[in-house]
């Protein structure tokens, strides 16, 4: 698998950014749930939570720039219903 996406699959850079973002969101969510249990809030946990949020923002921006400058999205699989393809495009735009 190459760094760039092909017409049929995502490349290693897009996959890495995707899963790193997902992992960071899950950890930040877990810390956020934990912060709710403490009174007063431990400053170290709050800082980690905020840093993770900034990391997600940076990874999202990096992913957008990567797709605009150097990469392309694989085509939707043949046979997907038209409505599903439209929904996928709308959801991706909303997520970005």
């Amino acid at each position: 698998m190459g760094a760039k996406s092909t017409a049929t699959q995502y490349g290693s850079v897009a996959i890495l950014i995707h899963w790193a973002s997902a992992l960071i969101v899950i950890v930040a969510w877990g810390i956020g749930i934990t912060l709710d249990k403490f009174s007063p809030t431990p400053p170290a946990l709050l800082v980690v939570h905020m840093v993770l949020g900034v990391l997600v923002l940076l990874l999202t921006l990096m992913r957008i720039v990567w797709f605009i400058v150097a990469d392309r999205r694989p085509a939707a699989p043949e046979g997907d219903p038209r409505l599903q393809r439209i929904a996928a495009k709308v959801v991706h735009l909303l997520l970005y």
Side-chain angles (χ1 to χ4, degrees):
M1 174 186 312
K4 292 185 176 185
S5 301
T6 65
T8 58
Q9 69 182 26
Y10 285 99
S12 59
V13 172
I15 292 170
L16 178 67
I17 293 170
H18 172 83
W19 286 110
S21 298
L23 179 63
I24 293 170
V25 165
I26 291 168
V27 171
W29 178 73
I31 291 173
I33 296 285
T34 303
L35 286 173
D36 192 37
K37 308 285 186 223
F38 288 105
S39 182
T41 302
L45 274 180
L46 187 57
V47 169
V48 171
H49 181 75
M50 291 186 316
V51 167
L52 292 175
V54 170
L55 278 175
V56 169
L57 173 66
L58 292 175
L59 282 170
T60 301
L61 293 174
M62 191 169 109
R63 183 174 175 135
I64 291 169
V65 169
W66 173 251
F67 276 120
I68 290 171
V69 173
D71 207 14
R72 62 181 178 167
R73 279 188 199 89
E78 293 296 323
D80 276 358
R82 183 173 181 269
L83 184 59
Q84 184 174 337
R85 282 191 244 177
I86 291 169
K89 285 182 183 181
V90 169
V91 167
H92 277 107
L93 286 172
L94 290 173
L95 285 173
Y96 286 134

